[in-house]
Amino acid sequence: MKIALMDSGIGLLPAAAAVRRLRPDADLVLSWDPDGMPWGPRTPQDITRRALAVAEAAAAHGPDVLIVACNTASVHSLPELRARFEPDLPIIGTVPAIKPAAAGGGPVAIWATPATTGSPYQRGLIREFADGVAVTEVPCPGLADAVHHADEAATDAAIAAAAALTPDDVTTVVLGCTNYELVGERIRAAVQKPGHAPLILHGTAGAVAAQALRRIGELPDPGAAAESRLTVMLSGQEGVLPATALAYAEGRLLSAVSPAR
């Protein structure tokens, strides 16, 4: 079994780590675009062009399924990706976890990149799944880029700026960019108000990993022998996990997988 994941940067690490935990025996192909990231500030047409190129690099390795572990690419490029690769290669998109977040009653804040915040796609999800729930869309300029580069100071500054835009009564935060899951506890600490109930965070890594297995008819098997290979594609060229990935627990987990030779 071979599972591929794509993103502009290291935001694919949470979903890849989730796959690794569910199926330690699955070969992984990680394809991202360090030459073009971040995708958020780009035009939808440019995002789609780059997403297709990154997907092609992953598809060349013959995976059974491809996870688009990027909210921005999912917002702008899923129809084109599915038209290009399905049905031969199932495509799993990443949708902000607005539905389960709204089920808790809110108030809800959705932290996302400026490209996703206010997009027709996200607004449609809010109308469909959060009707009657107080929802605040919070743009987080610079946060995805800071996380990608493991820049502690820039990450803290971007989190603080987004926290300042988040209403005090918010009970739930949707992490609407996969990069944000790498710093989820830092986000929680910035938003949590003293004396309030523990803040609920909703990411997507576990859900998309489970959905990828379902699409190819596989079941979770966390106890499977960890005999798998890791292939890393950087803007179409085979490489290794960058040092910044190892700044996060998810990257360190994946580094235990022997790279493909």
Side-chain angles (χ1 to χ4, degrees), residues 6 22 29 82 124 132 154 167 175 185 192 246 252:
M6 60 167 281
L22 291 175
V29 179
R82 287 179 169 146
L175 302 178
E185 290 310 309
Q192 180 71 56
L246 304 181
R252 293 191 294 273

Side-chain angles (χ1 to χ4, degrees), residues 38-111:
W39 286 350
R42 294 180 177 274
T43 66
Q45 295 77 15
D46 198 20
I47 292 168
T48 296
R49 180 179 65 83
R50 302 199 76 93
L52 286 168
V54 170
E56 290 281 4
H61 290 268
D64 300 296
V65 61
L66 173 60
I67 296 172
V68 184
C70 175
N71 293 90
T72 296
S74 296
V75 164
H76 296 293
S77 310
L78 270 183
E80 290 83 356
L81 288 165
R82 287 179 169 146
R84 169 64 184 85
F85 295 104
E86 290 188 337
D88 296 334
L89 176 61
I91 302 294
I92 308 298
T94 299
V95 177
I98 295 170
K99 182 177 181 180
V108 175
I110 305 171
W111 284 34

